[in-house]
Amino acid sequence: MMLRTPLLLLAIAVAAACTAQDGVITGTTLTVDPGTTLRIEGAQTVNVQNGATVVNNGTIVFGTTAAVAEDPNAPISGSGTETTTHSYTTPLSGIYPAGLGLEISTAVAPGTLTLTRGHLHFTDNGGMQGVDRWFDVDAAVNTGLDVDAVFHYNLSQLNGANEASLTLHTRAPFNYWDSSASTVNMVAGTVSVSSLDSLGTITLFDGISTGVDEPAPAAYNIADHGDGSFMITTTSGAVIGQLIVCDALGREVLLFNAPSPGYAIDLGAFASGVYTIKAAGWRQKLVKR
């Protein structure tokens, strides 16, 4: 059965196709057309059963007590988004807003939080494609959160990625993606990360985003002195400007404005490992030995 309904009748059609704890039943198809908003209110969980199809090309909004539960072979697809908004006055402990597939724990209260999910992949500026699922977290307090997150994925959404190599990335300016140390549980279909400062737009790539290793342009030279320090110089003699250094979890560890054409970055006080230096329009990995 195919359900295609205009905006004003959509809620009625959904009520006819699914009831609380029942949902979209096997053998039926629910399509949300572009420009259409479907609201799910009340204390109900809409179960999308195996053998059912939900194609969301519009927007599905879940109220504060509504949720979705997708059977393993029936994830929602389409070019649209699902979204829910909640207000939290205490730190979060494994909250799972609207059952959309992202579990969040924080050290502080995020206040009003809107979670949005989409089903189209991102392509980084190195040409690498992510999986066909992403989340966006918009919180009133979105810094210093100390976030632990669990990203749930479906095998049908891997988009050719090697499941064992899935790595969570957070979108940064200029379409760069910051990777986070990730733990993949292929039995549960999850990727877990911990101790993130904040959350924004996140997705999974097969390993580390190729765009993260975009080299500094020819106007810059970066010399590794081998003692934890790096010298950055501009070949034109121009002032370097703002530089940001982040650790492997995407946390900012250094921020400064370099007022000259040459500047030394000292990572001697930091642990050995991989860091990322960012400037306007480029970023590059630094390996501190």
Side-chain angles (χ1 to χ4, degrees):
M1 177 177 68
M2 173 73 74
L3 293 178
R4 284 185 178 273
T5 58
L7 176 60
L8 293 178
L9 299 179
L10 190 51
I12 299 174
V14 172
C18 57
T19 58
Q21 302 300 326
D22 247 332
V24 186
I25 62 176
T26 301
T28 65
T29 297
L30 172 64
T31 299
V32 182
D33 289 330
T36 298
T37 297
L38 166 62
R39 300 191 65 88
I40 308 294
E41 300 286 359
Q44 64 171 315
T45 297
V46 178
N47 177 218
V48 185
Q49 299 178 0
N50 286 330
T53 301
V54 175
V55 180
N56 175 23
N57 295 321
T59 303
I60 301 178
V61 179
F62 289 89
T64 56
T65 57
V68 64
E70 298 150 293
D71 283 356
N73 296 318
I76 296 175
S77 62
S79 59
T81 60
E82 296 84 56
T83 187
T84 187
T85 298
H86 299 259
S87 183
Y88 301 102
T89 58
T90 59
L92 308 183
S93 179
I95 65 127
Y96 198 50
L100 290 178
L102 185 67
E103 297 177 57
I104 308 172
S105 299
T106 64
V108 299
T112 300
L113 182 150
T114 298
L115 175 65
T116 302
R117 182 181 73 175
H119 316 284
L120 301 180
H121 63 260
F122 283 100
T123 301
D124 72 9
N125 53 19
M128 188 177 190
Q129 293 185 352
V131 301
D132 294 331
R133 172 170 284 195
W134 55 266
F135 295 98
D136 181 77
V137 180
D138 182 8
V141 177
N142 199 22
T143 186
L145 289 178
D146 191 17
V147 179
D148 294 345
V150 181
F151 186 119
H152 292 249
Y153 62 88
N154 187 278
L155 291 177
S156 66
Q157 300 168 329
L158 290 183
N159 191 29
N162 177 14
E163 187 180 5
S165 302
L166 292 174
T167 304
L168 188 141
H169 287 69
T170 304
R171 194 176 192 181
F174 305 102
N175 197 39
Y176 287 101
W177 291 82
D178 293 329
S179 63
S180 299
S182 303
T183 300
V184 181
N185 185 330
M186 292 190 292
V187 176
T190 62
V191 176
S192 302
V193 296
S194 60
S195 302
L196 301 183
D197 180 72
S198 61
L199 281 173
T201 301
I202 60 175
T203 193
L204 305 176
F205 284 100
D206 184 349
I208 304 300
S209 162
T210 54
V212 172
D213 294 321
E214 185 77 13
Y220 294 83
N221 290 319
I222 301 179
D224 182 354
H225 290 177
D227 59 356
S229 65
F230 301 81
M231 175 60 74
I232 301 180
T233 57
T234 60
T235 56
S236 65
V239 170
I240 294 172
Q242 187 181 80
L243 293 171
I244 302 171
V245 179
C246 296
D247 64 13
L249 292 177
R251 296 174 298 194
E252 183 180 300
V253 297
L254 289 175
L255 169 64
F256 45 83
N257 280 293
S260 64
Y263 200 86
I265 297 176
D266 185 6
L267 297 178
F270 297 97
S272 297
V274 177
Y275 294 81
T276 304
I277 183 170
K278 308 177 185 180
W282 62 271
R283 63 185 57 201
Q284 186 166 312
K285 290 285 184 66
L286 303 177
V287 180
K288 197 255 181 174
R289 298 170 177 82

